[in-house]
Amino acid sequence: MSTAASAKNGTWRNWGGNVAARPAREVTPASVDELAAAVRKAAEDGLKVKAVGTGHSFTSIAATDGVLIRPQLLTGIRNIDRDTMTVTVEAGTPLKRLNMALAREGLSLTNMGDIMEQTVSGATSTGTHGTGRESGSIAAQIKGLELVTADGSVLSCSEKENPEVFAAARIGLGALGVVTAITFAVEPVFLLTAREEPMSFDKVTSAFDELWAENEHFEFYWFPHTGSTNTKRNNRSAGPEKPVPQLQGWFEDEFLSNGVFQVAQWVGRAAPGTIPSIARISSKALSARTYTDIPYKVFTSPRRVRFVEMEYAVPREAVVETLRELKAMVDRSGLRVSFPVEVRTAPADDITLSTASGRDSAYIAVHMVKGTPYQAYFTAAERIFTAHEGRPHWGKVHTRDAEYFAGVYPRFGEFTALRDRLDPDRRFQNDYLRRVLGA
């Protein structure tokens, strides 16, 4: 399967190909009642339970040797409320289907990540985000949640109902229960004008604060082994709609960004010595362009080249220093890095274990193409990120544990206490949660 994780002969694998699991059984419930029954049955059989979306996490957050719940039948919109401007959607709904359905209704999420293959519950449970000066992660747009807890009961939460669960479960890591439905805030569909242009690393880092302040959504990609970046500014627009012409869009987004990029990755893998030259060519391949379209067509783009990723959130005021250290490390290391480094931002939010919890944040993501050794690069990068009190993305490669998280998340104890209450027998435990939350 191209976008999702695959299951062959009882083995489940994630999208990046770096995590595998052999569950005792797989369950595909068609209703919340069936899901609750599956959780109760697992308890009777003494099995752990994990729900998995499309497997876009690079950590083993969804891996289990117990009962693997596949939510693909729990999809679709339950309700659109135009008075409260909310939409309630089943947990297994892919973001792509949600975005397209909302657009047909003249509605949109305020902000989103850069791909839309994931399920709404998988994306929010791991803290998936885009970039924004005022608008936060997908989970920050949640107004209500429904989840099946360890005893098989169905719990609803919002700011008014079970608020302490709501504070944590929006980014719940699958540790508090299985999410069955999510209510998102939506707004009337709007237009965004995207302005993409190359800029030198020195210029983008020295002007970072202004670029962040002047744009609703600012991000950039730095090409290691070069002094080049590609910047993207997305701002609301009165129109008119001016999408990227179809042929040009195919050439830039499919041929250059996926096709040629894939070939460059293969060449770089076969002959690592060519990577700096390829990087210089890649950084110049994408020219400036401006276009105006509805949000999901501007925020998201196809990602067909498979990779493994590490991403850390650092305090926003520390991002330039962190990046300069990363560049200096790559320059002197002898590492060959063929994948650009992505930089985005998010405002502080009030979600217990959000990477932006309580602090304005900037994200630095490092990638390596699937199948290449990434450990040396990621280890060196992680050393830099953690020196700045970085918080790793819950769904991306990292080596941190509960002791570290207790130091960088002021409300860490609040989350673990809630987990003790909702899942005292650790029905939703796996090796990853044991490491990051403690036993």
Side-chain angles (χ1 to χ4, degrees):
M1 289 181 284
S2 60
T3 56
S6 57
K8 284 191 187 113
N9 46 25
T11 301
W12 172 85
R13 285 182 198 285
N14 70 334
W15 181 86
N18 66 318
V19 176
R22 286 188 75 95
R25 63 173 178 256
E26 286 194 20
V27 182
T28 311
S31 67
V32 177
D33 288 345
E34 280 182 26
L35 198 159
V39 171
R40 286 193 292 269
K41 176 86 172 71
E44 284 166 29
D45 299 341
L47 293 170
K48 304 290 187 193
V49 179
K50 291 313 303 174
V52 65
T54 54
H56 271 267
S57 287
F58 301 99
T59 57
S60 52
I61 190 165
T64 186
D65 56 5
V67 177
L68 191 68
I69 291 177
R70 312 292 295 242
Q72 58 258 43
L73 299 181
L74 293 172
T75 62
I77 288 180
R78 274 192 197 178
N79 176 46
I80 293 174
D81 186 331
R82 289 180 188 272
D83 294 331
T84 59
M85 286 306 276
T86 56
V87 58
T88 301
V89 62
E90 303 273 351
T93 309
L95 284 165
K96 187 172 195 167
R97 277 185 58 188
L98 173 62
N99 286 334
M100 291 168 85
L102 286 175
R104 281 195 297 273
E105 295 284 344
L107 301 168
S108 176
L109 293 170
T110 298
N111 199 355
M112 55 195 80
D114 52 16
I115 63 166
M116 50 180 182
E117 268 61 52
Q118 315 102 309
T119 60
V120 293
S121 57
T124 54
S125 296
T126 54
T128 298
H129 60 90
T131 190
R133 186 182 57 203
E134 279 108 23
S135 53
S137 68
I138 306 177
Q141 299 166 68
I142 294 177
K143 291 291 176 196
L145 270 184
E146 175 186 272
L147 68 161
V148 171
T149 56
D151 60 2
S153 58
V154 181
L155 182 74
S156 294
C157 62
S158 64
E159 281 174 3
K160 292 188 175 67
E161 192 180 10
N162 297 304
E164 73 296 344
V165 178
F166 183 66
R170 284 172 284 170
I171 298 180
L173 319 185
L176 306 174
V178 179
V179 175
T180 48
I182 300 175
T183 300
F184 290 104
V186 291
E187 57 175 306
V189 73
F190 52 94
L191 291 173
L192 283 171
T193 291
R195 185 172 145 208
E196 299 175 8
E197 64 174 333
M199 195 178 284
S200 74
F201 180 88
D202 291 340
K203 185 177 174 188
V204 82
T205 49
S206 57
F208 180 79
D209 288 339
E210 295 91 277
L211 289 162
W212 169 81
E214 287 163 8
N215 296 283
E216 289 169 74
H217 308 275
F218 175 69
E219 65 185 301
F220 68 94
Y221 292 88
W222 163 58
F223 296 84
H225 312 297
T226 78
S228 306
T229 77
N230 204 38
T231 62
K232 184 173 181 181
R233 302 164 226 212
N234 298 332
N235 289 289
R236 293 196 183 212
S237 163
E241 216 166 302
K242 214 180 109 206
V244 178
Q246 208 169 354
L247 185 62
Q248 184 193 345
W250 174 84
F251 180 72
E252 291 169 346
D253 296 325
E254 286 295 344
F255 181 68
L256 287 180
S257 297
N258 283 297
V260 172
F261 189 57
Q262 177 72 76
V263 174
Q265 297 299 322
W266 287 331
V267 172
R269 222 175 126 176
T274 63
I275 285 174
S277 308
I278 293 172
R280 284 191 289 275
I281 296 163
S282 299
S283 71
K284 292 180 172 54
L286 294 170
S287 51
R289 64 177 184 174
T290 301
Y291 52 97
T292 302
D293 215 328
I294 61 171
Y296 83 83
K297 293 183 178 179
V298 173
F299 284 131
T300 71
S301 51
R303 291 272 193 280
R304 307 205 198 287
V305 179
R306 304 251 170 161
F307 54 81
V308 177
E309 178 180 1
M310 167 184 279
E311 181 186 69
Y312 267 75
V314 297
R316 200 187 67 236
E317 62 273 14
V319 67
V320 169
E321 188 188 337
T322 309
L323 262 173
R324 286 176 179 151
E325 289 172 21
L326 185 70
K327 184 175 189 297
M329 179 276 289
V330 171
D331 288 347
R332 64 165 187 264
S333 67
L335 289 167
R336 293 287 175 257
V337 181
S338 61
F339 230 98
V341 171
E342 184 179 24
V343 181
R344 296 176 288 175
T345 68
D349 65 37
D350 63 348
I351 304 170
T352 318
L353 291 188
S354 163
T355 45
S357 184
R359 75 180 189 196
D360 291 341
S361 300
Y363 296 92
I364 304 175
V366 296
H367 313 69
M368 285 294 251
V369 73
K370 179 182 170 180
T372 48
Y374 59 83
Q375 284 81 357
Y377 176 36
F378 284 13
T379 300
E382 190 172 41
R383 211 170 280 139
I384 293 167
F385 300 150
T386 54
H388 293 280
E389 296 196 346
R391 297 168 177 171
H393 188 301
W394 296 107
K396 296 174 185 177
V397 177
H398 68 88
T399 65
R400 303 294 90 191
D401 60 14
E403 188 184 357
Y404 178 84
F405 291 123
V408 294
Y409 282 101
R411 297 167 66 190
F412 187 74
E414 198 181 306
F415 189 96
T416 54
L418 180 66
R419 179 184 181 222
D420 288 342
R421 196 184 97 204
L422 291 180
D423 187 14
D425 300 327
R426 299 292 187 260
R427 184 65 47 220
F428 304 114
Q429 173 92 286
N430 64 3
D431 291 343
Y432 179 75
L433 293 181
R434 192 176 291 114
R435 168 163 74 93
V436 302
L437 297 177

